Amino acid sequence: MNVGDRHYHTIWLNEDGRSVDIIDQRWLPHEFRVVTLKTVDDVAVAIRDMWVRGAPLIGVTAAYGVAIAMRADASDAALDAVWDVLHETRPTAINLRWALDEMRNGLRKVPVSERAAAAYKRAAEIAEEDVQLNRSIGANGLKVIREIAARKKPGEPVNILTHCNAGWLATVDYGTATAPIYMAAEAGIPVHVYVDETRPRNQGAQLTAWELNGHGVPHTLIVDNAGGHLMQHGQIDMVIVGTDRTTADGDVCNKIGTYLKALAAKDNGVPFYVALPSPTIDWTVHDGVKEIPIEERNSDEVAFVQGRAADGSIATVRISPEGSPAANPAFDVTPARLITGLITERGIAEASPQGLKALFPERS
């Protein structure tokens, strides 16, 4: 995607050929900053403290973290150690484990003397694969938007509700939930996006709105609790969200609040779609509510908010009373029964074991 007049991925190899550069998302939308990750510790902090976020981007960042580690020590022990360090950073997003497994399993077959070069090569491949997966997701999701647009009056926009940020900032490029939206806009289909603010980190308000604004896509920021009201009044044509882990049975784990949107959509007959690349499917898990670990993040994310102050500085302010405890579960699980379809790179699947296996028969 473009930032100003320059095209950016969210992560890329630094010109030194060793470290990697990332867009530090903590400062968006108020400041655009690029930082360089030079060590495994840098990568771990960037993932854990959400300098990068979004399941696909977390996986790609971890892959580059393994490459950085192999440059210093390419032994089997070092390979296992970096797997452990990076795997502990975020417990819910399955792409993290998938990417780490891809790197470790592949590098085990490579002579130690060749591992560093092989690691950088594979990390770059994983990054490019993510771009292509998301492009395909966009093309498949575009079909749904076209179908809805065909039923509307000429010039009337397709009104889409999204939650959190499943945009290009959550991936290497294009995004998952936003890829069909961007492609629809580029195809000349009128769209309008209602953007959930997405507390507690306001990733909709700060990231999705910033993306859509930069891409020229009409949108309106709403508070999280307004979605159901808009659905009741016929103002939403479809919901499309991303996911950090999808079970083999079609349950979806995504940013906290997604489940409530799915309930409201079901009650109001609004199609509810989830966009995901196949590495986000955890084929070992069947019951998302019981089996997926839900990350509990620092309560300060609930008690404080970050924004631009009147003097132009970026400030963090407390919004709750001193001494009031806060809980901060980062994700919830939306059962398959509430999902209209799973938009993947291979097509749109019914949210069920049969639906997923029809698109991915090699997993049967």
Side-chain angles (χ1 to χ4, degrees):
M1 305 302 291
N2 291 332
V3 179
D5 59 357
R6 178 178 171 184
H7 179 268
Y8 277 91
H9 283 173
T10 51
I11 185 169
W12 60 96
L13 190 65
N14 185 276
E15 60 184 13
D16 66 13
R18 300 185 299 274
S19 48
V20 292
D21 291 341
I22 62 165
I23 298 171
D24 187 346
Q25 299 183 30
R26 294 173 299 167
W27 306 101
L28 292 174
H30 309 295
E31 291 185 10
F32 182 81
R33 298 187 186 183
V34 172
V35 298
T36 301
L37 308 179
K38 298 179 179 180
T39 68
V40 172
D41 285 345
D42 290 344
V43 173
V45 169
I47 295 173
R48 184 179 59 248
D49 292 351
M50 297 178 72
W51 304 11
V52 296
R53 21 75 49 213
L57 179 55
I58 287 171
V60 173
T61 306
Y64 273 114
V66 173
I68 290 171
M70 292 298 93
R71 192 175 185 89
D73 181 353
S75 66
D76 286 352
L79 190 55
D80 289 338
V82 69
W83 193 101
D84 290 339
V85 167
L86 295 178
H87 185 254
E88 291 177 357
T89 55
R90 299 291 303 274
T92 301
I94 192 61
N95 299 61
L96 173 63
R97 191 182 76 196
W98 174 86
L100 290 172
D101 285 345
E102 278 285 305
M103 296 295 289
R104 182 167 68 175
N105 294 343
L107 293 174
R108 288 278 195 211
K109 304 170 186 176
V110 177
V112 171
S113 61
E114 301 174 14
R115 279 184 182 172
Y120 279 98
K121 180 176 183 291
R122 183 61 185 128
E125 290 172 349
I126 290 173
E128 181 55 30
E129 287 167 7
D130 181 68
V131 176
Q132 299 307 320
L133 290 174
N134 295 331
R135 184 181 286 125
S136 296
I137 288 169
N140 291 325
L142 175 58
K143 298 172 186 176
V144 177
I145 297 176
R146 282 192 188 279
E147 291 172 0
I148 295 173
R151 300 194 295 267
K152 306 203 72 163
K153 296 177 182 178
E156 189 178 12
V158 176
N159 292 302
I160 303 169
L161 175 69
T162 190
H163 187 66
C164 196
N165 175 259
W168 72 274
L169 288 168
T171 65
V172 177
D173 208 345
Y174 284 98
T176 55
T178 58
I181 296 170
Y182 291 137
M183 289 189 176
E186 289 165 2
I189 299 172
V191 293
H192 182 274
V193 184
Y194 284 96
V195 181
D196 276 354
E197 61 181 347
T198 319
R199 286 276 292 144
R201 293 183 65 96
N202 292 322
Q203 289 151 306
Q206 295 187 340
L207 303 180
T208 302
W210 181 77
E211 280 193 35
L212 295 172
N213 193 48
H215 204 69
V217 177
H219 61 283
T220 301
L221 177 65
I222 60 171
V223 298
D224 289 347
N225 291 331
H229 167 77
L230 296 180
M231 292 184 212
Q232 284 181 326
H233 290 269
Q235 294 178 252
I236 304 296
D237 295 307
M238 66 179 293
V239 180
I240 182 168
V241 300
T243 172
D244 289 79
R245 188 184 301 208
T246 300
T247 73
D249 287 8
D251 297 340
V252 165
C253 182
N254 192 48
K255 179 70 175 183
I256 194 75
T258 303
Y259 173 47
L260 296 180
K261 296 301 182 298
L263 288 171
K266 187 73 171 181
D267 190 51
N268 290 281
V270 175
F272 184 95
Y273 286 93
V274 182
L276 64 140
S278 55
T280 308
I281 304 171
D282 188 344
W283 298 97
T284 69
V285 169
H286 296 273
D287 188 325
V289 175
K290 293 180 180 179
E291 298 179 69
I292 295 177
I294 300 299
E295 179 181 2
E296 180 76 26
R297 292 188 59 80
N298 193 303
S299 62
D300 282 354
E301 293 181 351
V302 177
F304 294 85
V305 295
Q306 178 178 287
R308 186 179 291 282
D311 64 2
S313 64
I314 297 176
T316 299
V317 298
R318 174 180 281 277
I319 61 171
S320 62
E322 291 278 1
S324 291
N328 189 15
F331 303 91
D332 58 25
V333 174
T334 298
R337 68 179 183 275
L338 301 177
I339 299 169
T340 305
L342 303 172
I343 306 172
T344 78
E345 72 271 14
R346 294 189 184 179
I348 301 176
E350 177 186 276
S352 68
Q354 299 77 18
L356 284 170
K357 288 178 181 178
L359 286 186
F360 301 93
E362 70 274 16
R363 293 291 183 172
S364 300

